[in-house]
Amino acid sequence: MSGWTLGIETTAHTLSFGLVNPDGEPFPAASDTLRPDEGGIHPREAADHHKDVAAGLYQKVLDMHGLQPTDLGAVAYSQGPGLGPCLRVGASIARGIATRLNVPLIGVNHCVAHIEIGRQQCGCDDPVLLYVSGGNTQVIARLNGRYRVLGETLDIGIGNMLDKFARQQGIPFPGGPKIESLAKAYLERCPEPSMEGLELPYAVRGMDLAFSGLLTAAQRLVDNGQPLDAVCWSLQEHAFASCVEVAERAMAHTGKRELLLGGGVACNERMRSMSTMMAEDRDGSSHAPPKMYCIDNGTMIALLGALELANRTTSLEGSAIDQYLRTDQTPIQWA
Ligand code: AMP
Ligand code: MG
């Protein structure tokens, strides 16, 4: 391949431009995330935000790495899954840049991009993936040329659950990091905590997960006067243990020995340490990429685009977004 591959990520609240060099090596992205002062994310407001900051961020990522637009040899973008209005902005920016530079365009699967940046960064070969982000929660493993979803949330993503709980306490988006620091503060003031009075429902449903009951029950604990830091601790313990349990059964069932974390909630240190404990108990190993590659980022889109370019490109006619694109719809045609 000649030239750098640009990757454009716009599935939700983050617009991000990332790059891989002609050898497919990743370089840090330039990103901007919409953080509403109150309330959740309105897809059209996020799309407007992406339009407003796009030109400046595109220039920024080129400047960060000393590149000119003519150094680009291909343009990759998130084709799905995600919020329609946001995805459409990314796809039209990608079409515009690719057409102007006369270079190939390639639409890629956002979930698969999380997996591939993790494999590349952590040197994993054939992991079970625990993909825990705002909108998605899935346990995934590679089988017969596809990434198969072995278990997933039946309602909201784990990150959305954390963000909603935080919002109800007046904590702005993203709530996950603040919940993590409150949980840590609780352990500092109460080093040997007990679940008494802090029990929550368990989110496991067979191989699937469901988080909305946990959200309601955690709010009830707060309403009944339990301290917020204690509830944050319990919420993390219950939610993360549920995910790790499903991941453990996936490892047991498939015989795979590596666990790979991805998605924004994989930034969480408690999530990481629980995963490590579980994997080591099974004589396996747990891995997580650097935080900048856990959250949504353009670099992972560029990386997957570069991997896929050997086999396909996306025509303008075929470049429409797919809000409901599934992880297992993308054939794995790379090593
Ligand atoms: P993503 O959808 O992959 O971009 O990830 C965003 C989600 O990750 C949001 O729901 C955040 O609240 C969540 N998140 C980010 N950092 C942390 C953290 N340290 N602990 C828990 N959740 C986090
Ligand atoms: Mg994501």
Side-chain angles (χ1 to χ4, degrees):
M1 191 199 348
S2 65
W4 292 60
T5 302
L6 176 72
I8 307 174
E9 158 57 31
T10 58
T11 52
H13 38 65
T14 299
L15 171 66
S16 177
F17 288 94
L19 290 160
V20 297
N21 73 10
D23 295 325
E25 292 163 11
F27 286 75
S31 308
D32 198 283
T33 297
L34 175 69
R35 291 189 167 82
D37 291 335
E38 56 184 50
I41 289 171
H42 191 293
R44 229 173 22 250
E45 283 167 16
D48 287 343
H49 159 268
H50 298 347
K51 268 185 245 167
D52 291 345
V53 301
L57 270 189
Y58 174 49
Q59 191 59 49
K60 182 174 170 191
V61 80
L62 294 174
D63 292 347
M64 275 163 58
H65 303 298
L67 299 174
Q68 302 292 326
T70 47
D71 292 315
L72 301 178
V75 179
Y77 67 101
S78 281
Q79 201 161 11
L83 305 173
C86 301
L87 286 168
R88 274 181 214 107
V89 172
S92 53
I93 297 168
R95 282 183 210 109
I97 297 175
T99 307
R100 180 163 197 168
L101 298 174
N102 195 22
V103 298
L105 177 70
I106 181 155
V108 305
N109 185 319
H110 172 90
C111 302
V112 175
H114 273 292
I115 302 173
E116 290 303 330
I117 192 84
R119 284 182 66 220
Q120 192 274 344
Q121 288 286 303
C122 302
C124 292
D125 176 36
D126 186 21
V128 163
L129 185 91
L130 177 53
Y131 171 36
V132 279
S133 73
N136 297 292
T137 305
Q138 296 184 327
V139 175
I140 299 163
R142 185 170 178 157
L143 184 78
N144 294 338
R146 303 272 170 137
Y147 285 116
R148 312 279 166 180
V149 178
L150 303 181
E152 65 187 317
T153 182
L154 300 173
D155 48 30
I156 52 177
I158 184 171
N160 281 352
M161 184 274 289
L162 295 171
D163 295 335
K164 277 190 182 163
F165 176 74
R167 192 184 332 139
Q168 288 165 1
Q169 323 311 320
I171 299 167
F173 175 88
K178 181 71 184 170
I179 290 175
E180 177 171 26
S181 61
L182 284 166
K184 273 190 196 150
Y186 178 62
L187 288 181
E188 269 162 32
R189 76 179 176 86
C190 189
E192 288 180 38
S194 135
M195 275 299 166
E196 207 180 315
L198 293 172
E199 289 94 354
L200 291 169
Y202 209 48
V204 176
R205 305 279 184 277
M207 280 299 280
D208 292 321
L209 296 149
F211 295 106
S212 54
L214 205 54
L215 173 64
T216 309
Q219 184 58 46
R220 194 170 302 135
L221 291 183
V222 175
D223 294 343
N224 289 343
Q226 294 289 355
L228 181 58
D229 59 355
V231 179
C232 288
W233 169 73
S234 174
L235 184 58
Q236 283 200 162
E237 293 300 304
H238 283 84
F240 298 170
S242 306
C243 296
V244 171
E245 180 185 320
V246 174
E248 177 165 24
R249 266 187 278 131
M251 289 175 81
H253 186 69
T254 58
K256 298 187 199 281
R257 307 191 80 91
E258 296 166 322
L259 177 65
L260 175 62
L261 300 185
V265 182
C267 294
N268 188 290
E269 281 167 33
R270 181 60 179 147
M271 180 60 118
R272 289 179 180 220
S273 70
M274 262 193 208
S275 302
T276 301
M277 258 186 283
M278 180 276 276
E280 287 178 355
D281 260 4
R282 309 183 46 80
D283 293 328
S285 55
S286 175
H287 310 262
K291 293 182 182 180
M292 69 175 169
Y293 294 139
C294 282
I295 55 172
D296 288 346
N297 65 91
T299 304
M300 67 182 190
I301 304 303
L303 182 107
L304 179 55
L307 284 174
E308 290 208 75
L309 269 173
N311 294 301
R312 66 177 185 91
T313 58
T314 301
S315 65
L316 287 179
E317 299 72 44
S319 66
I321 57 117
D322 180 355
Q323 290 188 65
Y324 304 107
L325 187 64
R326 298 268 313 164
T327 305
D328 53 14
Q329 270 175 276
T330 299
I332 307 171
Q333 294 173 303
W334 56 89

